[in-house]
Amino acid sequence: MDTADTVAFLKEREEKLGSPIVYKTYTPWFARLGGERRDWGVFLYTDGKTIIYEDFEREPMILGIPIPGKKKEKYTKLECSFPVSSVVSIDCVTRTSAEDSLSRGHDVSKAATVFGKAFRKLVTKVTLSDGRILFFETMNHKEFSAMMEKFQKEGK
């Protein structure tokens, strides 16, 4: 996507949202406990009141090169949202414990230890008031957490 396409996409999303996007990031990996999973990531954005995450169809590739003859899986668009006010907690957990939670079908993730933070892949666990648990591999857990805390305070 070139710059003009990106600007047009973001403008379209702002029009759909009805307000400006105040925070956006790409999360290379996403999963919802008991639900969908995206190993190629999702785009996450917010106007400070609603968090939206969505994915995009992509071709099978290795190092950015299309894989010839690779059968493309059936694509189903993922576009979900939740109000910032519904966030109960945001925790930094290891991706291994998130994956373990997904395979068991219930949350067994634990906050990442100092060792885990230094040597393991980390994901951000978002727990919502309706019981949903979402895992995002955020680019910067501290920044994401701080932004969500700021949006929650502004919303009160």
Side-chain angles (χ1 to χ4, degrees):
M1 202 183 269
D2 68 15
T3 304
D5 288 340
T6 302
V7 170
F9 169 80
L10 292 172
K11 184 170 177 53
E12 176 187 310
R13 290 306 184 257
E14 287 180 336
E15 288 170 5
K16 187 176 178 180
L17 207 58
S19 54
I21 293 172
V22 295
Y23 177 79
K24 60 187 177 301
T25 189
Y26 177 74
T27 68
W29 180 84
F30 163 80
R32 180 174 63 88
L33 189 62
E36 56 281 320
R37 173 187 176 137
R38 295 296 187 264
D39 291 313
W40 57 87
V42 298
F43 178 57
L44 182 142
Y45 54 100
T46 182
D47 62 355
K49 296 177 187 127
T50 303
I51 307 288
I52 299 101
Y53 55 96
E54 64 180 284
D55 72 343
F56 304 94
E57 187 170 17
R58 62 183 220 112
E59 299 294 322
M61 294 186 187
I62 293 180
L63 301 173
I65 302 167
I67 303 171
K70 174 83 172 166
K71 187 174 179 177
K72 195 167 130 179
E73 295 178 25
K74 185 178 184 312
Y75 172 72
T76 304
K77 174 80 173 160
L78 171 67
E79 185 172 356
C80 298
S81 64
F82 57 89
V84 170
S85 60
S86 72
V87 175
V88 173
S89 65
I90 298 175
D91 300 295
C92 183
V93 302
T94 63
R95 180 158 163 188
T96 305
S97 72
E99 296 267 8
D100 195 23
S101 295
L102 298 174
S103 68
R104 292 176 185 228
H106 63 278
D107 186 30
V108 293
S109 64
K110 295 181 177 102
T113 62
V114 173
F115 177 81
K117 288 178 181 178
F119 297 106
R120 296 180 184 239
K121 193 174 271 197
L122 303 174
V123 297
T124 300
K125 173 181 143 183
V126 178
T127 305
L128 303 178
S129 57
D130 65 5
R132 283 184 290 168
I133 296 176
L134 311 169
F135 297 102
F136 296 97
E137 185 181 347
T138 56
M139 297 295 181
N140 184 329
H141 172 76
K142 286 181 182 179
E143 177 187 67
F144 179 79
S145 297
M147 290 301 289
M148 292 305 109
E149 186 177 315
K150 175 184 174 234
F151 297 145
Q152 284 188 314
K153 284 180 183 174
E154 289 173 355
K156 290 182 179 177

